[in-house]
Amino acid sequence: MENLCLTEDRGVGAVDPLSLSMVTAFLGAAGAGMANEAGKRAWETVGGLVARVVGREVPAPVGQAERESVAGLLVAEALRSPEQARALATVMSGRGAGGAVAHGVPRLLPASARFFTDRKGPLALLDREADRKPDGLPKVAVLHGPAGIGTSALAFHWGGREAGRFPDGTLYMDLRGGSASTAPTAATVLRHFLLRLGVPAEYVPPAVEDRVDLYRSLLSGRRLLVVLDHAQSAAQVDPLITAAPGVFTLIVARRPLTGLDAVAVSVGPLSDKDARRLLAELAGRSAMATARATLPSVLERCAGSPFALRAMAPYLATGPFGGGGPADPLPSADPLTPGSALPPVRAVAEEAYRRLGADAARIYRLGSLRPWSSLNAAVVAVTAEVPEDDAERALAELAELQLLESTGDGRYRYRPAVRAHAEEAAAREDGLAGCAAAVTRAVDWYLRFAVRADYAALKERWHLGPLYAELGPGPYEDEGAAVAALVAETGNLVEAVLAAEEFGRFDTVCQTVEALWAVQLKAGSHDALLPALRAGARTAGRHCPGTRTAGRMHIQLAFALMELRQDEEAERELLTAAEDEARAGHARGRATAVESLGLLRLRQWRFRPALECFEEADGLLDRIGPADDGAADVPRARALLHRHRGRALRGLGRFDEAEQRLAVAREFFRGSGERYNTARVLTDLAELHLDAADHAGALPLIDEAVALLSRENATVHLTYLAGLRAQCLPDRP
């Protein structure tokens, strides 16, 4: 037991500090690894070990203090009993959550603008902060300035110029989102960064605290630039800041972020000289000469804004400055702030808008009515009631005029200040009724899209709502393509749910949330989906309690909360779901809610309550008659419950009963041809044999599971099985 650093001359209950730290760290790693099936399995294994070592159920630890307490119990028992010491060593050496070796050099920073002028002062301040000697304080700077002033461009330019400082790469994330409700949270950004740093998706920890720990550990020895664009608050970015000496965090915001300990770098308008230079580089000397007489008014209107200058450059030779402009002069004052000049971004947006044709102008206005994360031609065509080909051409035109930004994949988005102008134009020209109708058309499009994609991605599950039967599955190449399509629209689907809730379209809220199951289960986008899932549960609770739909909404939210380790709220949602399903007389849905509560209990190491939940769920299935809705699902549901009961019984140390339950589940899944579930049960059985040190009995079960999963591309589970198999092999010298 040298690996635990235990000393035999200590009294019973004595704990070596190094041993305590090692076991505490192991518990932290095991809990953080619950983002995948193997991690959840390992966590249950640890819980069963703790219960057997201590002689009673011990609640799963949450947080460092509780992990240290449980670690103390384990180490004390290991000191007292060589048998328990061996058990602890075994689970720590080969049956923990595993880990992922991060690798790769991310290069995520967008390219700098081709023509970049001046900014010597801000660049020097960034150089100074980056050059600061390590002193334990994070290297952080906040570039701030009004819309269109070029703060993002300055960050891209400095990052590109100084790439040699950061041989380990650059991380970049746009934090603006569609709205405050859908803007990326720290948890979402951390997941994105961990993936780009080479951490497999299945090893990204579910809890934000564990993501922070892993992120900072991975960056501790790296020389890397982190750029956080369009930050909205200090709270959004604070968990993303590290004191690693080689990491420089560059934040872009509209204003200094209160409460953030960072160097504030103000970015103001370009001087008249630099504005002229930028216009000359963009438009050419000939255009500058043509517009010589009106150039002062151009510069005044652009007010030193690089965005405005870039947007106006193409017009220098064609008008209004060259004589071909609109008949009516542009307003010089801001109608929203009497007595003040029109902001440059709004001024050039109005100038470009007046040049649009009818279809492009309508698309520009109506696409802005919700903060969609990005738009494609299909939804724009429906929203603005124009042919899709015309919508595609109009989007390209709007991007050319700087009214939209192309994301490079056939999708487009608004700058926030430009979208504000488009919304004003829509209110003025389309009226309240026209705007509401446009949003409704967009929401309906996203609903129908989601239903068809969800159906194609998860055909085998039971669905709620009439649209599934009406529309059928979408025309996707395979399930993966359907999930990818849902992932690409996740931000917009969340926004569609929020819009439907705001408009009082409660059936649409619930049907759209129901259509998020596939992306929730298969893509693990729990952080991003949470606002929509909460809206679904909120809507169900207010407008259709005691129905199947309400039960589904609460179960979906609970599932996401479970994955994010928000157990208390998840439990409340599951209890509410069970109550709704009971009131609706829906035994299948109620059994699902109770079964899910049992799974939550397993994760909490509460094996006896988990077993009671599984027994209750099985009893609920008895109420489904041969002719009742869901009767065809009962045999498979029972097999899953046999497996779950086997897991709970193993945690309680009732190994013979556990093996009986697992054997029943194995035979069902073998007979039904479900390779993945057969392999899961085989793994459960193999672990039972390993608990009894029966390596010979475990090995063939492991090999059979490996053979099945090799055809399923289940890499994480195969890695876990490889660790179990290594325990079956004789020790080598």
Side-chain angles (χ1 to χ4, degrees):
M1 287 301 300
E2 292 81 3
N3 61 319
L4 288 178
C5 301
L6 304 179
T7 56
E8 297 183 5
D9 59 345
R10 294 178 183 265
V12 175
V15 178
D16 182 275
L18 181 58
S19 300
L20 180 61
S21 65
M22 291 174 65
V23 179
T24 302
F26 165 73
L27 291 172
M34 287 173 59
N36 60 77
E37 175 68 19
K40 295 182 182 75
R41 181 188 300 276
W43 186 240
E44 290 174 26
T45 296
V46 176
L49 171 70
V50 172
R52 294 191 295 276
V53 166
V54 179
R56 58 180 171 82
E57 282 191 3
V58 175
V62 178
Q64 182 69 9
E66 291 186 12
R67 286 195 290 267
E68 289 179 356
S69 177
V70 173
L73 293 173
L74 287 171
V75 174
E77 287 298 313
L79 285 165
R80 183 189 63 79
S81 165
E83 180 182 350
Q84 301 298 1
R86 283 192 295 272
L88 180 57
T90 298
V91 75
M92 287 183 63
S93 64
R95 293 158 69 183
V101 178
H103 56 82
V105 177
R107 299 290 183 188
L108 306 184
L109 192 67
S112 176
R114 181 176 181 84
F115 300 112
F116 188 88
T117 305
D118 191 37
R119 305 303 195 192
K120 293 186 177 69
L123 289 171
L125 290 174
L126 295 180
D127 289 340
R128 183 183 306 169
E129 178 67 2
D131 288 334
R132 179 167 57 81
K133 292 182 179 180
D135 56 4
L137 297 176
K139 295 182 179 180
V140 189
V142 178
L143 288 170
H144 63 91
I149 209 65
T151 46
S152 296
L154 178 57
F156 303 159
H157 179 78
W158 186 86
R161 190 190 74 177
E162 302 298 321
R165 290 179 184 261
F166 308 106
D168 294 315
T170 306
L171 294 171
Y172 171 82
M173 187 72 170
D174 189 335
L175 303 181
R176 80 180 91 174
S179 64
S181 298
T182 59
T185 63
T188 303
V189 179
L190 285 164
R191 184 176 191 275
H192 175 76
F193 283 173
L194 290 172
L195 292 174
R196 297 307 180 273
L197 288 167
V199 178
E202 60 271 16
Y203 285 114
V204 175
V208 64
E209 296 83 1
D210 294 323
R211 292 183 187 181
V212 170
D213 290 346
L214 179 56
Y215 174 70
R216 290 176 177 170
S217 296
L218 291 176
L219 264 56
S220 61
R222 301 195 186 204
R223 295 167 59 194
L224 186 139
L225 174 65
V226 179
V227 178
L228 304 171
D229 204 0
H230 300 106
Q232 300 180 29
S233 67
Q236 189 184 28
V237 299
D238 189 63
L240 308 170
I241 295 174
T242 171
V247 176
F248 183 30
T249 304
L250 182 50
I251 300 166
V252 179
R254 293 285 295 274
R255 62 190 184 284
L257 300 181
T258 303
L260 193 68
D261 187 9
V263 173
V265 180
S266 177
V267 181
L270 294 174
S271 67
D272 185 74
K273 175 182 177 182
D274 288 315
R276 287 174 179 272
R277 182 185 306 161
L278 181 59
L279 271 177
E281 290 174 333
L282 292 167
R285 299 293 176 184
S286 175
M288 293 286 283
T290 301
R292 183 180 297 111
T294 54
L295 191 57
S297 66
V298 176
L299 295 172
E300 180 181 4
R301 180 166 297 161
C302 292
S305 163
F307 168 79
L309 292 163
R310 291 178 184 279
M312 292 301 249
Y315 304 148
L316 285 182
T318 60
F321 317 111
D328 299 327
L330 291 174
S332 59
D334 185 355
L336 299 181
T337 311
S340 63
L342 191 68
V345 174
R346 291 164 57 84
V348 298
E350 181 66 21
E351 168 63 33
Y353 174 67
R354 293 188 179 202
R355 294 169 173 268
L356 297 175
D359 283 352
R362 181 171 171 81
I363 286 171
Y364 170 71
R365 296 193 309 271
L366 299 183
S368 72
L369 295 173
R370 298 295 298 189
W372 308 113
S373 56
S374 61
L375 295 166
N376 60 25
V379 68
V380 161
V382 171
T383 302
E385 298 181 300
V386 301
E388 189 168 333
D389 288 346
D390 292 348
E392 192 167 353
R393 286 191 291 271
L395 288 170
E397 178 188 356
L398 292 170
E400 186 176 352
L401 294 174
Q402 306 287 313
L403 292 175
L404 292 179
E405 295 176 303
S406 171
T407 62
D409 55 357
R411 306 174 70 85
Y412 300 84
R413 65 183 180 184
Y414 290 86
R415 291 173 176 268
V418 174
R419 191 176 79 82
H421 170 267
E423 278 190 293
E424 292 167 18
R428 182 176 65 243
E429 299 182 35
D430 300 284
L432 182 61
C435 291
V439 173
T440 297
R441 290 191 294 271
V443 168
D444 286 341
W445 185 91
Y446 282 116
L447 167 61
R448 297 171 75 85
F449 157 80
V451 166
R452 300 192 72 199
D454 178 73
Y455 201 163
L458 267 180
K459 293 178 183 176
E460 64 272 17
R461 78 175 179 90
W462 56 279
H463 304 89
L464 282 175
L467 279 182
Y468 283 91
E470 175 187 332
L471 299 176
Y476 297 97
E477 181 179 349
D478 52 31
E479 293 181 353
V483 172
L486 286 164
V487 169
E489 294 287 2
T490 293
N492 288 332
L493 292 172
V494 171
E495 189 59 43
V497 170
L498 299 179
E501 183 184 28
E502 185 178 318
F503 278 39
R505 302 187 63 200
F506 306 121
D507 288 345
T508 299
V509 170
C510 295
Q511 184 72 93
T512 307
V513 171
E514 154 76 3
L516 298 177
W517 253 122
V519 69
Q520 184 177 355
L521 294 173
K522 293 195 170 186
S525 305
H526 307 293
D527 304 284
L529 293 173
L530 205 53
L533 300 177
R534 290 193 186 281
R538 190 165 54 239
T539 296
R542 292 173 180 171
H543 300 283
C544 56
T547 64
R548 294 185 180 189
T549 297
R552 172 73 82 168
M553 295 299 98
H554 290 296
I555 287 175
Q556 276 189 255
L557 174 57
F559 182 86
L561 294 169
M562 286 168 63
E563 296 302 312
L564 296 172
R565 301 298 304 277
Q566 298 179 35
D567 290 356
E568 290 185 9
E569 188 179 357
E571 180 171 342
R572 290 196 297 270
E573 292 296 325
L574 288 172
L575 292 173
T576 302
E579 181 181 346
D580 283 327
E581 299 283 9
R583 291 171 60 189
H586 188 211
R588 178 176 56 174
R590 186 179 174 191
T592 298
V594 174
E595 176 189 7
S596 300
L597 185 59
L599 294 174
L600 176 60
R601 297 284 185 254
L602 283 181
R603 297 188 194 187
Q604 295 171 330
W605 298 357
R606 299 172 62 186
F607 298 107
R608 192 173 304 280
L611 182 61
E612 292 170 356
C613 287
F614 300 139
E615 297 285 2
E616 180 184 351
D618 191 61
L620 290 168
L621 294 179
D622 289 336
R623 303 181 186 181
I624 302 175
D628 291 343
D629 179 33
D633 300 329
V634 169
R636 184 175 184 274
R638 286 197 190 283
L640 288 170
L641 285 171
H642 278 299
R643 183 196 169 219
H644 298 334
R645 279 184 282 190
R647 294 159 63 190
L649 288 164
R650 178 187 172 221
L652 292 169
R654 294 158 59 179
F655 298 136
D656 290 342
E657 295 174 74
E659 185 169 11
Q660 292 172 13
R661 293 290 185 183
L662 292 170
V664 173
R666 176 185 59 188
E667 294 314 306
F668 175 86
F669 290 123
R670 273 179 174 169
S672 66
E674 290 191 50
R675 290 194 297 267
Y676 184 66
N677 273 322
T678 303
R680 293 166 79 186
V681 179
L682 288 167
T683 306
D684 294 328
L685 287 164
E687 289 181 314
L688 275 177
H689 284 275
L690 287 173
D691 287 334
D694 179 13
H695 297 167
L699 189 57
L701 297 167
I702 294 169
D703 288 342
E704 183 182 352
V706 168
L708 290 168
L709 290 177
S710 295
R711 289 175 281 173
E712 294 286 322
N713 196 29
T715 305
V716 178
H717 200 128
L718 286 168
T719 301
Y720 184 78
L721 285 167
L724 295 184
R725 195 176 194 281
Q727 296 177 50
C728 299
L729 302 177
D731 293 335
R732 297 179 181 178

